[in-house]
Amino acid sequence: MKNQMSIKITSLLFILIMGFFTLGFIAIEKDSDKDLVKTSTWFIAGPALENQEMINRVREEKGIIKVTAKDNPKGEIELNVLITNSDSNDGAPTNLSSDSKFVLITYKSSHLIKLQAREGNSEGTGCLHGGSHPRMDLSPSPKKFTTVKIPWSDFKQDGLPDGKLLDIHNLCKFNFVNYNPVSGAFLEIKSVIID
């Protein structure tokens, strides 16, 4: 009798453990569907060693974005990704749900990166020029990958404490900008997940 009870308890525990693992994999799969590193084409401008083709090939093969400044770089380096994937760097804006609260980014960077959450133009028709650029800072993390959870309310126009807040219902793309790159400055991004 005790042996049968022990077998039932062991079986129940096994079923519960398998259920937790299954739910965990489903949650991971859902997050990867929202991960812009996995789902979207990335664009680059400025004095970087990598071009758009190289960045996206590495992204597809290794699941990571890598950008390195050229020797004696002149000008800023800007890495862009649209919220809704597009073959163009100027696709349509995305209307995120009001339930969306934050973006989760895992990155490693030798220098300060200004993260801009660029809005569409005032007409709400596109991402080609115009629009505001609420932004915030990604601190340097040169030795290890860091994960930051950034509430939408942290994105303010020009990074000012009293700057206009980001409109998540007219969101075009993220711009990761190194305004003052030096030779060999780098940025690596493992994930950009929108909640």
Side-chain angles (χ1 to χ4, degrees):
M1 188 73 149
K2 283 184 179 179
N3 206 14
Q4 286 181 338
M5 185 65 119
S6 176
I7 290 172
K8 287 181 181 178
I9 291 172
T10 303
S11 296
L12 181 60
L13 284 173
F14 177 75
I15 290 168
L16 286 172
I17 290 169
M18 291 308 293
F20 285 125
F21 276 118
T22 302
L23 288 174
F25 286 125
I26 289 170
I28 289 169
E29 185 64 33
K30 281 183 180 178
D31 280 349
S32 69
D33 289 346
K34 300 177 197 175
D35 185 349
L36 301 181
V37 171
K38 293 183 176 36
T39 62
S40 298
T41 302
W42 289 64
F43 302 88
I44 186 77
L49 294 176
E50 300 84 359
N51 61 28
Q52 180 183 337
E53 182 182 311
M54 292 166 64
I55 287 169
N56 285 291
R57 185 175 63 246
V58 170
R59 176 184 68 79
E60 290 170 355
E61 292 172 359
K62 299 183 180 178
I64 193 166
I65 303 292
K66 291 185 176 190
V67 176
T68 313
K70 291 180 177 178
D71 287 338
N72 304 309
K74 303 256 188 294
E76 64 193 46
I77 297 175
E78 186 174 304
L79 179 67
N80 305 312
V81 62
L82 273 82
I83 305 305
T84 299
N85 191 31
S86 173
D87 290 334
S88 163
N89 196 19
D90 295 309
T94 300
N95 180 356
L96 292 181
S97 162
S98 295
D99 294 335
S100 181
K101 301 297 180 207
F102 61 86
V103 60
L104 194 69
I105 300 173
T106 300
Y107 74 99
K108 182 163 63 168
S109 176
S110 60
H111 292 78
L112 175 73
I113 300 296
K114 295 285 186 180
L115 176 59
Q116 300 174 347
R118 184 165 158 217
E119 295 177 8
N121 57 31
S122 58
E123 297 81 26
T125 57
C127 299
L128 181 64
H129 304 297
S132 65
H133 299 64
R135 67 180 183 222
M136 52 85 53
D137 294 344
L138 292 178
S139 299
S141 178
K143 299 205 184 292
K144 63 178 184 168
F145 281 96
T146 299
T147 300
V148 291
K149 180 179 178 179
I150 308 166
W152 296 124
S153 58
D154 283 4
F155 288 93
K156 296 179 180 172
Q157 185 64 34
D158 299 324
L160 299 172
D162 60 348
K164 178 180 152 281
L165 291 177
L166 172 68
D167 177 4
I168 65 167
H169 303 297
N170 189 26
L171 184 57
C172 287
K173 59 183 160 182
F174 290 121
N175 299 335
F176 294 81
V177 186
N178 184 337
Y179 281 104
N180 301 296
V182 298
S183 300
F186 67 87
L187 171 63
E188 298 180 19
I189 303 172
K190 278 190 177 178
S191 64
V192 177
I193 299 171
I194 293 175
D195 166 61

